[in-house]
Amino acid sequence: MELSNKPVANPVVVLREEFDDWAVLFNPDTAEAVGTNPVGVAIWKLMDGKRSLQEIVKEIEDRFADVPDAAIDEVAAFVSRLVESGFVGYDLEGFSE
Amino acid sequence: MTGESPLTNKPDIRIMSTPRSVDVEITSRCNLRCRYCYYFDNPEVEYRDLPAEEWLKFFDELGKCKVMDVTIQGGEPFIRKDLPLLIEGIVRNKMRFSILSNGTLINEEIAGSITKTGRCDYVQVSVDGSKPETHDSCRGEGSFFRAIRGIRTLQRHGVRVTVRVTVHRHNVNDLENTARLLLEDLGLARFSTNSAGSLGTCRRNAGNVLLTTRERQTGMEILKRLSVKYDGRISATAGPLAEARLWSRMEDAYAEGSSPFPNGGRLTACGCPSNKIAVRADGVIIPCSMLPHMELGRVNHDSFEEVWQSSATLNMFRQRHKIPLTEFEFCTDCPYLPYCTGNCPGLAYSLTGQVDHPSPDACLRLYLEDGGLLPKAEDKAI
C-alpha cells in the first residue's frame, strides 16, 4: 500500500487567523507554530485529503490574482515544510474517504 | 456586577480577534496563607469557585476561539480534586497549559496525569529560600520541604519545572544559596525572580515583608552577580533584578543625554491586554490577575470573543499607553521621564487608587532620593 498524493491537514493543528490577514498554524501536541499569509491559509483549508497538489494549485489560481507560473513548486515546497513538521500528512491509498 | 454594558467601543489599535493566552484562576482556595500574597484580601473580589461543568463549558468556548494556551493558577490549583478533569477539558480543546503552584500538594498521581497529557508547557513552583527558615518565613511552617518534594515528584515524571523566587525582607540574604539549590542541587535549567509587592494580603504585612531601599539594593547586587555567575539562567520581569537592569539603562541614558526610549515617557509598561486576558475563580473576566477589580464580563454569560474585542473598559485600558507621564504631578521635573514606562498598572492601582498612573513602587527617582544606589558599572554587563 502506498501513500496518496493528496495532502491532509493534521486535525489537531489549530488555524488562528490574526490581524492583517496573517494566520498562525499551531500544533498543540508539539507547541510548534508557523506563520502564514492568506494564500497559505487557503492552501491549508484545501488540504482535506481529497485534492492533489495540482488540484490545490488550480483552485489557488482561480481565487488569487497574479499567481506565478512557479506556483506548483511553491505550493509543493510549502506543503513539504508542513509535512516535515507534522502539520500535514498523506493518507494511505484506499484509506482516504 | 459583571462589568459594563453595552459592549460596544471598538479599539483604535490592532488587536487579535481572540487572545492567544488566558490566565485562569481555577480556584480561590489555597492551603497556604503567604504573608505577601497578591491574590487574597482584595475587597472587590468575590472568592468563590466555579463548578467543573462551568469551567469545561468555558474551555469549549476557548477552543472555538482558537486560544493557544491556558495558565492555570489560583489560589492553589492542586487543591481542586477535579483538576485532571479540568485539564482534560483544556487538552480536548486543542490547547496547551501551564500551572502556577506552591508545590505542596503535588503527588505521584497528579504528576503522572500531567505527563500523560503531553500538553504541559511547565509547572511553576514557588520557592523562596534555600532552607525552611527563609522559605517558611512568609509561606508557613513545613511548606519548604513539601515544595521541594513537589518539584522532585514532577521531575521524576518528566514534567518541565520552573521556579519563581519572590524576594522579600526575610530571604534577600539567602539568594545565593537559593540559586545554588535550584540550579545546582535540583538541576533546574533556570528560575525567575520578582519581589513582594503592595497588593492583596501583602498590604497588611507591608512593614515586615517589603524590601527597604537598602535591602532592595542588596537584592540588586546579589542577583546581578548571580545572573553573571549562572550565565543568564536567572530571569526577571519585576523585582530587584529587573529593576537593576532597567534602572541602570535609564541612568546611563540620562547621563549620556540619549534619545528617549521608544516606549519611554508614557504608560507603556503593560503589554498584556494585546495578547492575553484573565478569568477570576468566580468566572469574572478581568484584564489581568493584578487588576481583579476591573470586571469585563462573566464566562458562559457574556461572549468571550465579544468581551475581548469590544469591552469598553478593556479598550480604554488598551489606550493607557498613550498617556504621557508629563500629565502626572508625581513625575514633575523627573530627569528619567523619557526613559520611564510607568510600570505595573496593578501596583499603581493598589498604591494610588488609579490604574492610569505610574506605579510609585517602581520609581527610580524615589529610590535614589531614598539613598538607594544602582550596581556598579562593572556589574552592569549582564
Side-chain angles (χ1 to χ4, degrees), chain A residues 11 15-16 18 20 28-29, chain B residues 14 18-19 66 94 96 119:
Chain A
L15 172 67
R16 264 186 66 89
E18 309 276 7
D20 291 346
D29 282 343
Chain B
R14 295 183 315 170
T18 56
K66 312 290 179 71
K94 301 183 180 181
R96 294 182 68 80
R119 295 277 185 83

Side-chain angles (χ1 to χ4, degrees), chain B residues 3-4 6-13 15-19 21 270-278 285-288 291 294-297 303-321 355-356:
Chain B
E4 78 277 12
L7 303 171
T8 50
N9 282 14
K10 292 286 180 190
D12 63 356
I13 56 170
I15 57 162
M16 302 168 184
S17 57
T18 56
S21 306
C270 181
C272 295
S274 64
N275 60 28
K276 67 189 296 190
I277 199 165
I285 304 169
I286 52 178
C288 165
L291 294 164
M294 287 180 72
E295 301 185 347
L296 309 175
S303 156
F304 183 70
E305 186 171 353
E306 195 176 336
V307 167
W308 171 258
Q309 292 183 7
S310 304
S311 160
T313 301
L314 183 57
N315 285 330
M316 185 83 78
F317 183 52
R318 288 176 173 135
Q319 306 303 317
R320 186 176 185 270
H321 69 103
V355 171
D356 292 337

Side-chain angles (χ1 to χ4, degrees), chain B residues 129-138 140-145 174:
Chain B
S130 68
K131 53 191 175 182
E133 287 83 353
T134 44
H135 177 96
D136 294 357
S137 64
C138 284
E141 192 177 341
S143 57
F144 174 76
F145 286 120
D174 188 32

Side-chain angles (χ1 to χ4, degrees), chain B residues 186-380:
Chain B
L186 289 172
L188 299 176
R190 55 186 58 81
F191 71 88
S192 63
T193 62
N194 66 1
S195 63
S198 193
L199 295 155
T201 306
C202 189
R203 281 182 299 195
R204 258 197 348 233
N205 301 318
N208 61 25
V209 173
L210 295 182
L211 298 172
T212 63
T213 293
R214 181 69 194 157
E215 289 160 345
R216 205 170 188 169
Q217 181 180 324
T218 302
M220 288 185 195
E221 289 165 355
I222 295 172
L223 285 172
K224 287 200 81 165
R225 182 162 42 77
L226 291 172
S227 180
V228 172
K229 175 181 176 182
Y230 289 106
D231 196 18
R233 294 168 67 193
I234 305 173
S235 63
T237 54
L241 182 57
E243 287 160 353
R245 289 169 171 165
L246 177 63
W247 287 353
S248 294
R249 283 183 57 223
M250 290 168 68
E251 194 179 50
D252 289 348
Y254 170 65
E256 294 161 9
S258 301
S259 303
F261 290 168
N263 58 349
R266 290 171 287 119
L267 293 176
T268 58
C270 181
C272 295
S274 64
N275 60 28
K276 67 189 296 190
I277 199 165
V279 182
R280 283 188 344 212
D282 62 351
V284 172
I285 304 169
I286 52 178
C288 165
S289 293
M290 301 296 122
L291 294 164
H293 71 289
M294 287 180 72
E295 301 185 347
L296 309 175
R298 185 178 286 276
V299 301
N300 304 333
H301 179 272
D302 298 303
S303 156
F304 183 70
E305 186 171 353
E306 195 176 336
V307 167
W308 171 258
Q309 292 183 7
S310 304
S311 160
T313 301
L314 183 57
N315 285 330
M316 185 83 78
F317 183 52
R318 288 176 173 135
Q319 306 303 317
R320 186 176 185 270
H321 69 103
K322 294 180 179 173
I323 301 171
L325 297 176
T326 50
E327 279 191 7
F328 301 101
E329 191 180 345
F330 178 79
C331 300
T332 302
D333 298 328
C334 178
Y336 301 106
L337 198 135
Y339 316 111
C340 182
T341 64
N343 212 270
C344 173
L347 265 174
Y349 176 74
S350 183
L351 290 166
T352 71
Q354 298 174 68
V355 171
D356 292 337
H357 194 283
S359 168
D361 183 60
C363 178
L364 171 57
R365 180 172 61 171
L366 285 184
Y367 173 76
L368 296 174
E369 285 175 354
D370 200 37
L373 297 173
L374 295 176
K376 293 172 190 159
E378 59 264 32
D379 295 333
K380 287 181 181 176

